[in-house]
Amino acid sequence: MGLIGAGRIARTGHLPAYAAGDVPLVAICSSTGTSARALAATWPGTPPRVHASATELAADPDVDLIDITTPPTGRTELIASLLPYGKPLLVQKPLAYTLEEATTIVEQAAIAGVPIAVNHNLRWAPPQRVLTEWITDGRLGEIVHLAHVHHFGEDERSWYTDHPDYLFVDHGLHYLDLVRWHTGRDPVAVTARTARVPGQSALCPLAYTVMLRFDEPPLVASLALYDATRSAAAWASNWFVNGTRADAHLTYTTATLHTASGKTISRTPPGEWVPDGILTAYTAFAEALAEDRLPPHHAGDHLRTLALAQAAAISAQADGAWIDIPATEGDQTRCL
């Protein structure tokens, strides 16, 4: 593994994940050598080499797979510089801030024959993995309703909250993606509203409500995010997934199933969203590469989630107008 980027997500998520999974990290680079060296010094065991640039890291013969944790701005140019080296890329979400930029990346990678997976790590958070198991086993039956209510606190000035569509194309991208992941269906239209909290520091709105329309009823889905809690004690994530056979409720830590017979099954699997989801996103990619198949989080699939997020942002700018979600080349573009 070669790691590009040495910021907060690399420090608190990627390195702990790879250390826990015994993933051989052999190289790191960042925009400042100081941060890369500091991060390399925290690695248990032999410290990874620190390279002066992304292309120098890509040229390292011991690097087989590259993990990109840099901010989305400049991704098109960064990935274009790495494609000639032919090494698979695991990229933090979003692939780019706009669907147009992300599509360019996917098309260039397909031409170069470079596999790309996007780190939709919430798909593999421990409670979400339990829900995936229940859905796959048919325990819920047909999913007819899904609702997400999330409370978090990011009222701060930072490169990410400076982006006007942060709640949709970055933070909230996790939750929009999870609707697609669990239902196995793509919505066809979206309506969204946002709000700013009086006196907030962040430049982006800090609350949204979203509703999704699917082409075949009875499935409906809604999402609400409030990102300005005044205390970490108020953080909460609640998923309600209702099927024709059972109902599920998920939190950060627990998955609960209520069956039609009145039986309740509750599971609190070990681990956390970060770093465990990040490790499993890597593992799913590595296994797909070994078997020469598309991973579930391939770049083409990511375009569908980004198209949804961008449409939601446009709807919010249009005071909640219903916006059709544009088609992408996600199903046709092979990224392996």
Side-chain angles (χ1 to χ4, degrees):
M1 171 70 75
L3 181 68
I4 297 177
R8 183 180 67 174
I9 190 62
R11 183 176 66 256
T12 63
H14 292 250
L15 250 69
Y18 298 145
D22 293 324
V23 178
L25 181 66
V26 298
I28 294 178
C29 75
S30 68
S31 57
T32 65
T34 301
S35 61
R37 285 190 292 273
L39 190 62
T42 68
W43 180 252
T46 303
R49 291 185 288 278
V50 176
H51 288 291
S53 68
T55 52
E56 182 179 293
L57 179 144
D60 187 327
D62 292 330
V63 171
D64 300 312
L65 187 152
I66 299 172
D67 186 6
I68 299 174
T69 68
T70 59
T73 301
R75 285 263 177 81
T76 304
E77 296 77 16
L78 172 60
I79 292 178
S81 73
L82 299 174
L83 294 180
Y85 298 90
K87 297 182 179 181
L89 305 175
L90 178 60
V91 187
Q92 261 295 343
K93 59 85 197 154
L95 196 55
Y97 275 135
T98 70
L99 181 61
E100 293 73 21
E101 289 178 286
T103 300
T104 296
I105 291 171
V106 172
E107 290 173 345
Q108 291 176 344
I111 292 170
V114 173
I116 296 182
V118 180
N119 212 315
H120 283 294
N121 45 73
L122 182 56
R123 295 181 178 186
W124 292 286
Q128 301 297 341
R129 293 173 70 179
V130 173
L131 178 59
T132 298
E133 175 188 321
W134 287 339
I135 292 172
T136 302
D137 290 347
R139 303 287 292 274
L140 273 81
E142 180 185 0
I143 295 176
V144 296
H145 174 258
L146 187 151
H148 179 229
V149 180
H150 197 91
H151 293 171
F152 198 59
E154 291 182 300
D155 185 9
E156 58 192 53
R157 281 299 307 276
S158 63
W159 62 263
Y160 41 91
T161 57
D162 281 352
H163 193 283
D165 297 330
Y166 169 69
L167 282 195
F168 296 110
V169 300
D170 199 332
H171 183 164
L173 194 73
H174 280 299
Y175 315 129
L176 294 167
D177 179 72
L178 212 57
V179 174
R180 296 185 57 244
W181 176 248
H182 284 317
T183 64
R185 294 174 59 183
D186 284 310
V188 296
V190 58
T191 176
R193 298 289 298 273
T194 58
R196 298 178 60 82
V197 177
Q200 69 176 62
S201 299
L203 295 185
C204 68
L206 288 174
Y208 73 42
T209 57
V210 178
M211 291 186 65
L212 305 178
R213 179 190 297 157
F214 294 84
D215 58 359
E216 293 182 11
L219 177 60
V220 293
S222 63
L223 304 95
L225 170 60
Y226 182 74
D227 205 9
T229 62
R230 296 304 153 195
S231 167
W235 294 356
S237 183
N238 285 279
W239 289 88
F240 302 93
V241 184
N242 307 101
T244 53
R245 293 182 179 176
D247 308 288
H249 173 217
L250 274 70
T251 67
Y252 274 127
T253 59
T254 302
T256 302
L257 187 73
H258 302 283
T259 69
S261 65
K263 183 179 181 180
T264 295
I265 302 169
S266 187
R267 289 173 56 181
T268 304
E272 299 180 74
W273 174 3
V274 177
D276 297 85
I278 290 175
L279 176 60
T280 313
Y282 158 77
T283 302
F285 189 29
E287 290 176 349
L289 291 170
E291 297 169 8
D292 191 27
R293 59 174 172 79
L294 279 174
H297 49 331
H298 66 89
D301 180 76
H302 171 73
L303 293 183
R304 297 300 307 140
T305 295
L306 190 57
L308 166 58
Q310 185 167 289
I314 293 171
S315 173
Q317 294 161 11
D319 198 29
W322 280 98
I323 302 296
D324 291 339
I325 300 166
T328 72
E329 297 299 317
D331 293 334
Q332 288 78 38
T333 303
R334 181 167 175 80
C335 301
L336 268 180

